[in-house]
Amino acid sequence: MAGILVWAETHNNAIRKSTYEAATVGKLLGRPDDDMAAVLINDLDLAQSLGTLGFSKVYTLEGEIFNQYASEAYCEALAVAAEEMHADTIILGATSRGRDISGRLAARLDGVLISDITDIKTDADGIRFVRPMYSGKLLAEIRIDHQPAIITARPNVFASGEYDVIEADIAPLAITDISIKTQVNQALQAAKGVLDIGEADIIVSGGRGVGGPEGFKAIEDLAQALNAAIGASRAAVDSGWIPYKHQIGQTGKVVTPTLYIACGISGAIQHFAGMGSSRFIIAINNDPESPIMKKADFAIVGDLFKIIPVLKEEILKHRS
Amino acid sequence: MNIAVILKQVPDTEANVAADPTHPGKIVEDTLKFILNPYDEYAVEEALVIAEKSGGEVIGVCIGSDRAEWAIRTAMAMGIHRAVFITDPEAVESDIITQAKILASIIKTLDVSLILCGRSWIDLQEDALAPALGHFLNIAHVSNAGKIDVDCLKATVIRELDGGTLEVRVTLPAVISCSKELNEPRYPTLIAIKRSKNKEIKRVTLSDLGMTPGTPRSFVTDLQTPSSRGKGKIVTGDPADMVKEAVQWLSDEAKII
Ligand SMILES: Cc1cc2nc3c(=O)[nH]c(=O)nc-3n(C[C@H](O)[C@H](O)[C@H](O)COP(=O)(O)OP(=O)(O)OC[C@H]3O[C@@H](n4cnc5c(N)ncnc54)[C@H](O)[C@@H]3O)c2cc1C
Ligand SMILES: Nc1ncnc2c1ncn2[C@@H]1O[C@H](COP(=O)(O)O)[C@@H](O)[C@H]1O
């Protein structure tokens, strides 16, 4: 059967949000219900639950080579499933693993890659995929003239929808022939409770205006009250106030949260490249002329150290 | 140890990139300032450091139109030794996977043990080059490296992964994409810039490589400027009043709390 294959990305034995989003993308392609299969690697106890996302078939692979993330093995697992079902479309979340797999997979399957899509348009001209280019300065519509297509979906854009509950048919597969040239020495997990900025629904970010590493305490406080992840501008990262993995922008991460709160950040074009497509932006800045104040949906003019503690209290009060 | 670095020229990060009204799917290029892809600078720096330690040449490999020679010269001013440059329009305009295939066939003609590239191309915003090169060269790839230690036949690489980091050991040759965390790229000195003008750029064509351009696999049919943000609310005055208004907005308009 030709059809759509979705990578069921898991983490700590749970299905990741990116998997739901990829399933939504599959649905949006408007094909018959039984056209969509998932591929699940290890965590096989989750196979049945994928039926509730509308997958009629779940290809499973397991083995020690998948215990730690290894690009070549994961790519090959997806390739084997795609070949088994003659998939014409393979969808992954544009998570760090999804991005990593998709490039190699597209090469491996002689496919065409469309990364980081944020929308799908369907009309008389057929299907076009929409994705930001040039740091979000332009949105491109892309038509595909080749199969298979490997599509990655920007996190936090495609909501998990209503799926038909289907009894998934489970089909075990195996990788027969692969020499893996990567050995994983160790995998370090981020501390528990630390949210990844790539997938967070709310991000509170600090910039040079935060003034120093101690200043990030205020950012952390607000983030905690909102169950948000912590972001930063390059100025804050380059000053050594916070690790690089928090950097948002051109040379950091691109994020699409529902709410982005920029504190003491001027809103340089390179920063905007990373957060400009957030659903809502709040800016806290003592300079009303800072570029971010003109881009924000809600701009608070004032000293962030005076505003943030009050804001945090007021949010906690509102919540209770 | 010889190292290949993939180079790409992209519009400057500050540039106002606009859709070309007369050529659907294309941007207006005449007035744009172009730079070496910022992530490629980390790859160049890392290659130079490794080559300085181990001895060996750093060879740039670039697909681009003639103007991309400036990106190559910039990397040469930083210190890379020579470069291979392919300018066929079919190559320049092809998708990233096809470009990886072309780059791989050039790399096969070089005697290199390591291939470095930037984590992402900031114009097309694609992170697929290293993974695709890994496949075409039948070697390991590591994306988004924050630390690289090379010994004679292997490299230990730390890369970021959602929710943590991964330390891997790869057999060389391998292809590694470089993040900002790796290093601080050097600024070319004036004398280095001068010297770079005489370094060798070897031009090759698709037919030299025995490759025929395939038909394009995807088309940008339209480029739009995203609806501009702004016309938001700006509040000034007493912190308590501003915060009250903000929380009201969060709950009524944004419906977040
Ligand atoms: C190739 C390239 C790539 C880049 N990549 C990135 C990137 O990925 N991410 C990124 O962020 N930048 C990036 N930059 C840098 C970017 O151009 C800016 O320099 C940077 O974003 C500025 O950071 P900032 O807003 O924190 O600092 P500033 O521009 O210095 O702004 C600080 C702001 O804080 C406000 N402020 C000060 N004190 C207070 C206070 N007490 N209360 C409230 N507000 C206060 C000020 O009014 C000001 O608006 C890149 C640049 C280049 C050239
Ligand atoms: N688009 C360009 N046009 C002319 N010269 C350039 C261009 N890009 C880079 N250069 C040269 O490359 C070197 C470094 O450029 P820059 O990093 O822009 O300062 C300088 O010697 C410039 O002359």
Side-chain angles (χ1 to χ4, degrees), chain A residues 96 100 104 110 115 131 134 137 139 141 143 145 183 185-186 188 190 238 247 253 276 278 297 299, chain B residues 13 15 123-124 126-127 139 141 143 160 162-163 165 167 169 180 217 219 221-222 224 229 233 235:
Chain A
S96 54
D100 187 51
R104 192 161 186 130
D110 193 25
S115 327
R131 62 176 302 250
Y134 304 100
K137 289 169 191 166
L139 286 176
E141 277 186 28
R143 194 186 78 220
D145 272 13
Q183 161 203 335
N185 284 357
Q186 56 174 337
L188 296 175
D238 285 356
Q247 184 181 318
K253 283 215 175 93
S278 305
D297 301 286
Chain B
T13 54
D123 52 352
L124 306 180
E126 305 233 59
D127 305 1
I139 58 178
H141 83 266
S143 297
E160 203 204 308
D162 293 340
T165 58
E167 183 188 301
R169 199 157 160 74
K180 170 175 176 273
R217 299 178 163 201
F219 297 86
T221 54
D222 191 33
Q224 295 281 342
R229 297 197 80 103
K233 223 181 170 82
V235 294

Side-chain angles (χ1 to χ4, degrees), chain B residues 57 78 122 223:
Chain B
E57 258 191 332
M78 287 177 73
I122 66 159
L223 281 172

Side-chain angles (χ1 to χ4, degrees), chain B:
Chain B
M1 172 159 84
N2 297 335
I3 303 170
V5 187
I6 315 300
L7 305 171
K8 166 131 193 212
Q9 196 183 44
V10 299
D12 185 30
T13 54
E14 300 273 356
N16 174 26
V17 183
D20 184 340
T22 51
H23 298 91
K26 300 267 184 286
I27 59 167
V28 180
E29 294 201 349
D30 303 348
T31 51
L32 273 187
K33 181 182 180 226
F34 286 89
I35 57 168
L36 174 62
N37 182 38
Y39 283 114
D40 297 357
E41 292 186 17
Y42 304 110
V44 169
E45 177 65 33
E46 198 65 17
L48 292 171
V49 170
I50 296 169
E52 279 156 14
K53 252 190 250 159
S54 68
E57 258 191 332
V58 180
I59 306 151
V61 185
C62 179
I63 298 179
S65 56
D66 287 323
R67 62 164 159 69
E69 182 177 336
W70 283 111
I72 299 174
R73 293 286 172 205
T74 304
M76 287 180 158
M78 287 177 73
I80 73 163
H81 300 87
R82 60 190 178 92
V84 183
F85 189 22
I86 181 161
T87 57
D88 303 45
E90 297 89 344
V92 176
E93 271 158 39
S94 60
D95 62 287
I96 192 164
I97 302 298
T98 308
Q99 291 200 355
K101 199 181 217 172
I102 297 165
L103 290 165
S105 72
I106 295 175
I107 290 165
K108 282 178 188 160
T109 68
L110 307 172
D111 173 28
V112 296
S113 308
L114 183 64
I115 301 107
L116 297 181
C117 62
R119 184 196 94 183
S120 182
W121 285 348
I122 66 159
D123 52 352
L124 306 180
Q125 292 179 248
E126 305 233 59
D127 305 1
L129 184 62
L133 276 175
H135 170 79
F136 288 124
L137 293 168
N138 193 22
I139 58 178
H141 83 266
V142 188
S143 297
N144 208 6
K147 192 166 188 297
I148 304 174
D149 283 308
V150 174
D151 42 67
C152 47
L153 296 169
K154 294 203 167 202
T156 304
V157 186
I158 298 182
R159 60 154 303 181
E160 203 204 308
L161 211 53
D162 293 340
T165 58
L166 201 63
E167 183 188 301
V168 297
R169 199 157 160 74
V170 289
T171 308
L172 300 182
V175 49
I176 303 175
S177 80
C178 299
S179 100
K180 170 175 176 273
E181 222 170 349
L182 271 177
N183 56 47
E184 187 94 37
R186 65 195 68 186
Y187 282 109
T189 58
L190 271 175
I191 188 133
I193 292 172
K194 225 180 221 161
R195 239 187 260 141
S196 71
K197 309 238 192 276
N198 299 321
K199 289 183 177 173
E200 181 209 4
I201 298 180
K202 181 180 166 197
R203 294 206 180 216
V204 297
T205 62
L206 285 173
S207 68
D208 294 338
L209 297 168
M211 298 182 84
T212 42
T215 47
R217 299 178 163 201
S218 59
F219 297 86
V220 176
T221 54
D222 191 33
L223 281 172
Q224 295 281 342
T225 312
S227 51
S228 67
R229 297 197 80 103
K231 298 177 213 68
K233 223 181 170 82
I234 301 189
V235 294
T236 53
D238 177 54
D241 294 340
M242 290 193 287
V243 163
K244 277 225 168 66
E245 215 175 316
V247 170
Q248 198 73 47
W249 178 85
L250 274 173
S251 117
D252 296 353
E253 303 269 329
K255 299 189 170 37
I256 284 167
I257 58 170

Side-chain angles (χ1 to χ4, degrees), chain A residues 94-166:
Chain A
T95 58
S96 54
R97 291 173 182 82
R99 284 166 184 269
D100 187 51
I101 295 171
S102 60
R104 192 161 186 130
L105 185 65
R108 162 78 171 75
L109 296 174
D110 193 25
V112 58
L113 174 70
I114 310 292
S115 327
D116 216 22
I117 64 159
T118 55
D119 200 4
I120 296 173
K121 292 195 170 165
T122 319
D123 54 29
D125 296 335
I127 292 179
R128 273 114 53 237
F129 295 91
V130 179
R131 62 176 302 250
M133 278 188 185
Y134 304 100
S135 323
K137 289 169 191 166
L138 293 172
L139 286 176
E141 277 186 28
I142 299 169
R143 194 186 78 220
I144 293 179
D145 272 13
H146 183 85
Q147 286 182 349
I150 291 84
I151 312 283
T152 68
R154 179 174 285 196
N156 268 344
V157 173
F158 297 92
S160 17
E162 301 271 311
Y163 312 101
D164 307 319
V165 178
I166 296 176

